[in-house]
């Protein structure tokens, strides 16, 4: 792959301004709970591709206009009071600002769901955490992986992944089904009421535009 890049450079066919990105290696190894295979965590040299080759190498799912998908993004139900309070808690605890957010109801969420082969109903049932290229989680595993990126002592809670995923997800799914009844539901994304939080949202501009159109 590197030799090929040098040949392209020497012939003038290479767009030197295109960003370098990486693809995850997939294999048939045992999968992580609620995510993809453990081997997907490792980069391989032959999987380094150029940004202007994305359309043919990784397909249109990996490209969002001119921007590449960002890692560390939580896609969640923005009208759910329980979900919104959880996001506020993570923002407060995440001193290193590792985690970003996106409301399920935003158009900006669509490429993240698409690349994971999920639709809005899937993410409404179990929120989505796109940890990195080829690595995503849902439900209880997503919650624990988010905790793993927070400072200690919150990160220690991520070791609860040792509990069987079916047991964890059974509890998660029960609460998720009752969350509107128990905690309430808004007509629009709740973060619009607390716009000081929007600098952590990848759909910030879209939400602000929506807010201005309502006024």
């Amino acid at each position: 792959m590197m030799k090929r890049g040098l040949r392209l450079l020497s012939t003038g066919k290479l767009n030197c301004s295109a960003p370098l990105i990486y693809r995850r290696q997939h294999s048939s190894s045992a999968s992580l709970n609620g995510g993809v295979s453990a081997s997907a965590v490792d980069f391989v040299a032959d999987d380094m591709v150029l940004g202007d080759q994305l359309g043919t190498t990784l397909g249109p799912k990996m490209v969002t206009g001119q921007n590449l998908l960002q890692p560390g993004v939580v896609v969640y139900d923005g009208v759910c009071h329980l979900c919104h309070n959880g996001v506020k808690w993570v923002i407060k605890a995440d001193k290193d600002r590792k985690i970003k957010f996106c409301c399920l109801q935003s158009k900006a969420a669509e490429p993240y769901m698409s690349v994971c082969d999920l639709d809005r109903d899937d993410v409404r049932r179990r929120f989505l955490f796109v940890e990195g290229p080829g690595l995503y989680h849902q439900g209880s595993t997503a919650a624990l992986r988010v905790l793993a990126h927070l400072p200690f002592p919150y990160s220690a809670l991520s070791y609860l992944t040792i509990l069987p995923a079916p047991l964890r997800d059974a509890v998660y799914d029960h609460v998720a089904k009752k969350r509107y009844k128990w905690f309430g539901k808004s007509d629009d994304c709740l973060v619009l009421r607390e716009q000081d939080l929007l600098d952590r949202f990848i759909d910030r501009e879209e939400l602000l535009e929506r807010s201005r159109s309502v006024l």
Side-chain angles (χ1 to χ4, degrees), residues 62-151:
M62 292 302 294
V63 183
T64 60
Q66 298 298 319
N67 299 316
L68 301 179
L69 299 183
Q70 300 181 48
V73 173
V74 168
V75 182
Y76 75 102
D77 185 1
V79 301
C80 166
H81 283 268
L82 175 62
C83 306
H84 178 66
N85 286 330
V87 165
K88 287 172 59 179
W89 181 86
V90 172
I91 289 175
K92 184 177 180 180
D94 184 17
K95 304 299 184 184
D96 297 323
R97 302 171 67 88
K98 294 180 179 180
I99 308 299
K100 297 172 286 291
F101 304 89
C102 183
C103 293
L104 166 66
Q105 290 75 13
S106 296
K107 290 182 180 179
E110 293 174 1
Y112 290 87
M113 294 185 291
S114 178
V115 78
C116 300
D117 289 322
L118 300 172
D119 58 29
R120 279 193 164 83
D121 287 336
D122 294 326
V123 180
R124 192 173 286 110
R125 284 191 294 269
R126 292 180 175 180
F127 87 92
L128 170 66
F129 179 42
V130 181
E131 192 166 8
L135 186 63
Y136 73 94
H137 315 276
Q138 282 191 274
S140 65
T141 302
L144 294 174
R145 287 307 305 156
V146 169
L147 288 171
H149 290 273
L150 299 181

